[in-house]
Amino acid sequence: MRLTFIGADHEVTGSCHVIETAERTILVDYGMEQGINLYENAPLPVSPEKIDYVFLTHAHIDHSGNLPYLWARGFRGKIFATQATRELCEIMLRDSAGIQEFEAEWRNRKGKRKGDPEYVPYYTLDDAVNVLKLFVECDYGKIYEPEPGIRLRFNDIGHLLGSSAIEAWFTEEDETVKMVFSGDIGNKNQPILKNPGSIEEADYILIESTYGDRSHGPRIDYVKELAGVLEETFARGGNVVIPSFAVGRTQEMLYFIRQVKEKGLVGTYPDFEVYVDSPMALAATEVFKKNYLGCYNEEASELVGKGINPLEFPGLRLAATTDESKAINFDERPKVIISASGMCDAGRIKHHLKHNLWRPECTILFVGYQSQGTLGRKIVDGAKSVKLFTEEITVNARIQVLPGTSGHADREGLLEWASGFSRKPKKCFVVHGEDRVTDVFAELLGEKLGWDAAAPYSGAVYDLRKDCFEVLTEGIPFVKKDAEGRPVQTDGTPRTPYVRLLDTEKRLLSLIHECRGMSNKDLAKFADQLDALIGKWAR
């Protein structure tokens, strides 16, 4: 019985882990990588047609986005997920497939002129449609048994509609091992969704660590803060542009804005209009409306009970078509524009940034996590200008972040969830965090809870019956290649020997951190060898 680490190991996106029993192979999530791909991912230990089951924690593309690829390569097993997760996946996987096909069409149109071979899309819409047929819808709190020796249960984790921490029991030769996969742990006291539920015990735990090194700070009054941003921006005659994840964050923003309008908190321009410009967000909002039973928290459920739709209000405008999207920027009245993607790397938000980012009277309001390497991260980090559609756009708009609105628990929230276990696990594996953060949070679990925690890299293998690593790996820096197979940087420039040396520096630092706990004799030997190498090359 083995656990293999594939994706979101010392990285934030691309979640994928594999359980192999004597008879079966199970994937827990199979997500697409977004933003900077820091390390190479190990290949799956078996071919897709030999995978028996997928346990899916939630619908976000960095956890579900590679499922159509599995179908395209022969997977015909079952995918276990909650009903809301399946319904959201139907929207998101179809959208992702459309992006793959559009990119292939674009590349082939350019490639024909250069005589390049045909570019095949990663997967197609047909692949997405077919893989959706493999879903088995599950309720929270109920134990499912795909076959003797394998059981699982979904627990509401409060990150996204239908999101779950998964308890899984695997039995071999009368020995049962229980694992818990946290998925993405939700932030407490958020709108619409319930707080993360607790789990009592596990032999092994995989826990995310997106915010494992920092706190969201004191909880703010989101409605009041949002109203303040709107008031100030409208007084300047500008627009408030909100780059927002189509699934989850957009619905939260609608929830807040309904309260702003209901309470009359914007006096300058009380009848302001709010444009939701994302076909996916519109479809996802319908899924939210449908799945209020069992998923909404007490406050949102109470509104529904009174006949109030918590996601609708006067002045809400929905832009479904391209023409409707374009028309938004010809309306000179102050307004709110909510558009995807949340990290500004794709979709209609880029057009709205092009029209508003250079205007000092406007505000770009970020309401979610911005991964390294994304356009959103560059803007939040203070870029003076950014390139949009080959055009350099000056950043003159006010850049603000609505604090604490992340769908992920912070350091304290993660520790609180971990503290809910009644006994220490044999081992805890820290995943789904930036390179340094995974190590920081693993150390924190040891200091605060006394847990034996580690943050393995992709390719590591743990023997669950022997309770030890079978294979330990180092992070292999991801190398992008050009059409001729030559290494290039992510910005397209050649990957020089000096850049390779910088990558080696990262690996060396990681190795040094892993040496903690070694004997003084071995540490001294290692230090002497490094000193000798430095002395050889020092100028």
Side-chain angles (χ1 to χ4, degrees):
M1 198 182 303
R2 303 191 307 172
L3 166 65
T4 302
F5 297 81
I6 301 295
D9 303 309
H10 284 260
E11 294 182 315
V12 176
T13 64
S15 184
C16 180
H17 297 89
V18 184
I19 299 292
E20 294 175 276
T21 68
E23 302 292 334
R24 298 290 180 238
T25 301
I26 299 130
L27 297 191
V28 179
D29 293 342
Y30 196 25
M32 192 174 283
E33 293 191 278
Q34 298 168 302
I36 286 181
N37 187 4
L38 188 60
Y39 293 116
E40 297 277 4
N41 278 358
L44 295 175
V46 300
S47 56
E49 71 271 11
K50 294 182 179 179
I51 294 168
D52 299 286
Y53 305 110
V54 177
F55 298 166
L56 182 60
T57 62
H58 65 286
H60 279 147
I61 286 295
D62 64 321
H63 288 255
S64 71
N66 280 340
L67 293 177
Y69 173 87
L70 281 187
W71 170 275
R73 271 68 182 173
F75 170 68
R76 298 296 183 268
K78 295 179 179 179
I79 302 171
F80 290 83
T82 63
Q83 176 180 322
T85 293
R86 192 208 66 78
E87 291 180 2
L88 291 176
C89 277
E90 184 164 1
I91 299 166
M92 300 180 78
L93 296 182
R94 284 171 176 267
D95 180 77
S96 178
I99 292 171
Q100 311 301 321
E101 290 184 336
F102 177 82
E103 182 183 6
E105 180 185 350
W106 176 77
R107 292 176 70 157
N108 286 328
R109 194 165 55 243
K110 289 184 64 177
K112 278 183 180 179
R113 297 192 290 267
K114 299 193 300 183
D116 290 344
E118 182 182 10
Y119 176 82
V120 179
Y122 188 56
Y123 54 74
T124 66
L125 181 58
D126 282 344
D127 297 325
V129 169
N130 281 312
V131 82
L132 287 165
K133 298 174 184 176
L134 304 180
F135 275 69
V136 177
E137 294 183 358
C138 302
D139 296 327
Y140 285 133
K142 180 179 177 181
I143 292 181
Y144 293 85
E145 188 173 16
E147 63 178 72
I150 300 175
R151 295 179 295 149
L152 73 157
R153 177 164 58 197
F154 291 82
N155 299 268
D156 195 340
I157 199 67
H159 170 68
L160 175 69
L161 195 79
S163 64
S164 307
I166 299 176
E167 297 174 89
W169 294 263
F170 304 100
T171 301
E172 276 186 4
E173 299 175 3
D174 297 327
E175 182 180 350
T176 298
V177 171
K178 181 184 178 184
M179 302 194 67
V180 168
F181 303 89
S182 78
D184 287 351
I185 299 171
N187 199 359
K188 289 184 65 177
N189 302 315
Q190 293 299 290
I192 307 174
L193 302 181
K194 297 176 181 177
N195 285 339
S198 60
I199 298 174
E200 289 191 359
E201 59 181 10
D203 297 312
Y204 298 98
I205 299 171
L206 267 79
I207 186 171
E208 68 117 324
S209 59
T210 309
Y211 284 95
D213 67 334
R214 54 202 184 279
S215 171
H216 293 323
R219 177 176 169 78
I220 66 170
D221 184 334
Y222 297 127
V223 173
K224 180 180 178 182
E225 289 290 326
L226 180 58
V229 173
L230 300 180
E231 184 78 61
E232 291 174 9
T233 306
F234 294 161
R236 298 194 302 268
N239 299 322
V240 176
V241 179
I242 304 178
S244 180
F245 300 105
V247 181
R249 194 50 38 78
T250 292
Q251 291 72 36
E252 291 179 1
M253 289 300 106
L254 295 179
Y255 190 87
F256 291 143
I257 293 171
R258 187 198 66 81
Q259 294 178 68
V260 169
K261 280 180 166 279
E262 181 184 60
K263 296 175 181 179
L265 299 180
V266 177
T268 305
Y269 192 45
D271 297 325
F272 65 92
E273 294 186 327
V274 177
Y275 288 87
V276 177
D277 186 20
S278 165
M280 190 196 303
L282 302 184
T285 301
E286 292 304 311
V287 175
F288 268 71
K289 294 176 185 177
K290 176 183 174 183
N291 285 274
Y292 66 90
L293 285 175
C295 289
Y296 280 17
N297 61 24
E298 185 176 342
E299 181 183 72
S301 296
E302 187 176 331
L303 288 172
V304 174
K306 293 178 180 178
I308 299 172
N309 187 327
L311 304 179
E312 289 185 357
F313 45 81
L316 178 61
R317 303 286 180 260
L318 309 177
T321 68
T322 302
D323 287 343
E324 288 170 337
S325 175
K326 291 179 179 177
I328 295 172
N329 289 303
F330 290 100
D331 180 355
E332 296 183 355
R333 294 173 297 176
K335 57 192 162 295
V336 176
I337 304 169
I338 303 174
S339 187
S341 71
M343 297 185 191
C344 307
D345 264 359
R348 296 180 178 182
I349 187 61
K350 296 179 76 172
H351 293 276
H352 297 301
L353 290 175
K354 179 181 178 180
H355 284 275
N356 291 276
L357 199 56
W358 56 272
R359 299 173 57 193
E361 67 269 28
C362 293
T363 297
I364 313 300
L365 181 63
F366 287 90
V367 295
Y369 181 79
Q370 304 298 309
S371 287
Q372 286 183 332
T374 61
L375 176 59
R377 182 69 167 258
K378 292 175 184 176
I379 296 172
V380 168
D381 284 349
K384 301 300 182 185
S385 67
V386 296
K387 186 168 287 188
L388 289 164
F389 308 108
T390 72
E391 184 179 347
E392 201 71 26
I393 306 294
T394 301
V395 180
N396 288 329
R398 180 175 296 184
I399 307 302
Q400 291 188 241
V401 176
L402 194 62
T405 51
S406 172
H408 289 266
D410 62 3
R411 176 183 56 212
E412 288 73 27
L414 292 172
L415 285 172
E416 181 178 344
W417 184 80
S419 299
F421 288 85
S422 59
R423 60 177 174 85
K424 296 180 192 176
K426 293 180 181 178
K427 191 85 173 180
C428 177
F429 306 102
V430 178
V431 298
H432 205 290
E434 290 182 359
D435 190 20
R436 183 189 66 86
V437 176
T438 54
D439 289 324
V440 168
F441 189 62
E443 290 184 12
L444 191 62
L445 287 169
E447 293 170 4
K448 298 294 186 181
L449 303 181
W451 284 13
D452 182 1
Y457 288 93
S458 180
V461 180
Y462 199 86
D463 189 314
L464 297 168
R465 296 187 70 181
K466 294 181 180 177
D467 192 26
C468 64
F469 278 103
E470 185 178 302
V471 177
L472 262 177
T473 55
E474 297 178 6
I476 300 174
F478 175 78
V479 178
K480 186 177 180 180
K481 296 181 180 179
D482 61 17
E484 283 74 39
R486 295 172 301 194
V488 296
Q489 293 297 93
T490 53
D491 63 2
T493 58
R495 186 170 181 265
T496 64
Y498 180 69
V499 173
R500 287 177 55 203
L501 191 62
L502 292 176
D503 289 337
T504 303
E505 175 195 21
K506 297 176 185 176
R507 293 177 63 189
L508 179 59
L509 278 174
S510 176
L511 179 59
I512 290 172
H513 286 300
E514 290 175 6
C515 288
R516 178 178 293 182
M518 289 175 55
S519 68
N520 288 336
K521 180 179 178 181
D522 287 338
L523 288 172
K525 182 179 179 181
F526 186 23
D528 289 342
Q529 291 173 346
L530 289 177
D531 285 340
L533 186 62
I534 292 169
K536 178 180 178 180
W537 288 95
R539 295 178 180 177

